[in-house]
């Protein structure tokens, strides 16, 4: 008789994580590797992706790193080919690459020009290319080997702001110019859910499952005012730790969620429960 924990094992499977060098992406890569999968760390920053993969290898896991520009069809095809050429198959695609304006200590000062009334059209189009067209291209390339092997899982990373509008109050600072979470973020993350549901129903009966994972805000050295304001909005009264999406990610990637497709798993500390 099989054990329930066996459902979470991913031995013999191969996973690609785009945005694999990002805050959550690197967590996802290690989680999948620990579950037994061979992992392709894919990121726009090729050298960082290779370094992260090397670190996984040193810890005894199977991994390679590769560069990818998710807006470039050829680059995306090369990413999928790298997975198949190295490991012989592709079972899981985690679409974590995205433009996400940050308000942590390192990036908050750069978020001054995001007012909707003057938001640049070029920046809007760039964000659509990365956050939506990038997922479209990655899924389009990844499903080809998945269809050939009659097995595949796609996980699209969404956001609470794909479900509800941003609470712009949490980004303001007394005596400082106003800051805003920009319009593209909510719009593209809402689009992620539409793409997820479309793909899930399109591949009905072909053993390809497609789900979304919606994280809440993850703490990354944010200033105390931001942490206090954000935490006040959550039921649990705090931001997420960087490893608190890993269980949900593994659940969606593994056979533990084998009867789940077209769904959105929300892990937001209760932000959207109010």
């Amino acid at each position: 008789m099989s054990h329930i924990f066996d459902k979470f094992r991913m031995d013999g499977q191969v996973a690609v994580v785009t945005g694999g060098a990002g805050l959550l992406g690197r967590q996802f890569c290690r989680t999948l590797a620990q579950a037994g999968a061979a992992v392709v760390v894919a990121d726009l920053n090729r050298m960082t992706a290779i370094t992260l993969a090397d670190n996984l290898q040193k810890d005894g896991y199977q991994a390679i790193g590769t560069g990818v520009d998710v807006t470039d069809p050829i680059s995306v095809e090369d990413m999928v080919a790298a997975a198949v050429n190295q490991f012989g198959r592709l079972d899981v695609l985690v679409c974590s690459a995205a433009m996400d304006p940050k308000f942590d200590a390192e990036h908050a000062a750069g978020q001054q020009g995001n007012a909707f009334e003057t938001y640049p059209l070029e920046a809007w189009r760039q964000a659509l290319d990365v956050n939506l067209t990038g997922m479209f291209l990655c899924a389009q390339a990844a499903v080809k080997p998945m269809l050939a092997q009659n097995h595949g899982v796609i996980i699209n990373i969404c956001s609470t702001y794909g479900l509800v509008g941003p609470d712009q109050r949490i980004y303001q600072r007394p005596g400082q110019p106003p800051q805003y979470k920009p319009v593209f973020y909510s719009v593209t993350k809402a689009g992620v859910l539409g793409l997820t549901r479309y793909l899930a129903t399109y591949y009905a009966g072909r053993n390809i499952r497609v789900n979304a994972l919606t994280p809440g805000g993850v703490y990354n050295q944010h200033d105390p005012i931001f942490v206090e304001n954000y935490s006040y909005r959550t039921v649990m009264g705090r931001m997420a730790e960087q490893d608190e999406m890993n269980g949900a990610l593994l659940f969606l990637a593994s056979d533990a969620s084998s009867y789940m497709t077209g769904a959105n798993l929300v892990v937001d500390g209760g932000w959207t429960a109010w």
Side-chain angles (χ1 to χ4, degrees):
M1 180 180 296
S2 63
H3 195 286
I4 183 58
F5 289 161
D6 295 337
K7 293 276 190 179
F8 291 89
R9 293 296 308 173
M10 299 191 64
D11 303 281
Q13 297 192 45
V14 179
V16 168
V17 180
T18 70
L23 183 70
L24 291 181
R26 62 183 61 203
Q27 292 278 335
F28 296 158
C29 290
R30 182 163 289 274
T31 294
L32 294 167
Q34 289 175 343
V39 175
V40 178
V41 184
D43 199 273
L44 186 62
N45 189 328
R46 177 176 175 271
M47 293 312 300
T48 301
I50 291 173
T51 298
L52 290 171
D54 288 346
N55 290 338
L56 289 172
Q57 291 177 18
K58 290 174 184 176
D59 290 338
Y61 304 116
Q62 296 184 78
I64 61 170
T66 187
V68 66
D69 177 353
V70 297
T71 70
D72 180 352
I74 295 175
S75 180
V76 170
E77 292 283 356
D78 288 346
M79 172 189 73
V80 171
V84 175
N85 291 340
Q86 180 70 26
F87 298 116
R89 58 187 296 120
L90 175 56
D91 298 277
V92 176
L93 169 68
V94 180
C95 290
S96 186
M99 290 178 62
D100 178 7
K102 303 290 188 183
F103 290 82
D104 55 30
E106 182 179 352
H107 301 98
Q111 305 300 336
Q112 302 291 341
N114 293 332
F116 174 74
E117 296 83 358
T118 55
Y119 198 76
L121 178 59
E122 182 180 355
W124 163 264
R125 286 174 171 163
Q126 181 187 17
L128 291 177
D129 280 348
V130 175
N131 290 15
L132 277 180
T133 304
M135 281 194 180
F136 163 82
L137 291 173
C138 288
Q140 196 173 55
V143 293
K144 294 170 185 174
M146 292 177 178
L147 287 168
Q149 66 201 23
N150 193 37
H151 176 264
V153 173
I154 297 174
I155 303 167
N156 295 324
I157 305 303
C158 186
S159 166
T160 51
Y161 286 165
L163 305 177
V164 298
D167 185 345
Q168 302 288 8
R169 296 171 298 181
I170 71 175
Y171 303 105
Q172 310 311 318
R173 296 291 180 275
Q176 296 184 18
Q179 297 184 116
Y180 304 99
K181 197 78 171 182
V183 58
F184 78 76
Y185 193 69
S186 290
V187 174
T188 57
K189 289 302 184 179
V192 166
L193 296 180
L195 178 62
T196 298
R197 292 167 183 142
Y198 177 87
L199 292 175
T201 54
Y202 182 86
Y203 288 110
R206 287 185 272 184
N207 205 30
I208 293 177
R209 299 188 298 110
V210 187
N211 293 294
L213 171 60
T214 293
V218 177
Y219 178 69
N220 187 34
Q221 306 303 317
H222 293 84
D223 70 71
I225 295 176
F226 182 91
V227 173
E228 181 180 359
N229 289 343
Y230 188 96
S231 300
Y232 181 77
R233 278 284 278 108
T234 67
V235 174
M236 296 186 70
R238 63 178 179 86
M239 299 185 74
E241 298 297 334
Q242 293 182 17
D243 64 352
E244 288 191 295
M245 306 300 148
N246 296 346
L249 186 281
L250 180 57
F251 170 69
L252 291 177
S254 70
D255 286 343
S257 61
S258 58
Y259 194 56
M260 224 175 141
T261 195
N264 178 31
L265 182 54
V266 181
V267 187
D268 69 351
W271 177 278
T272 54
W274 290 111

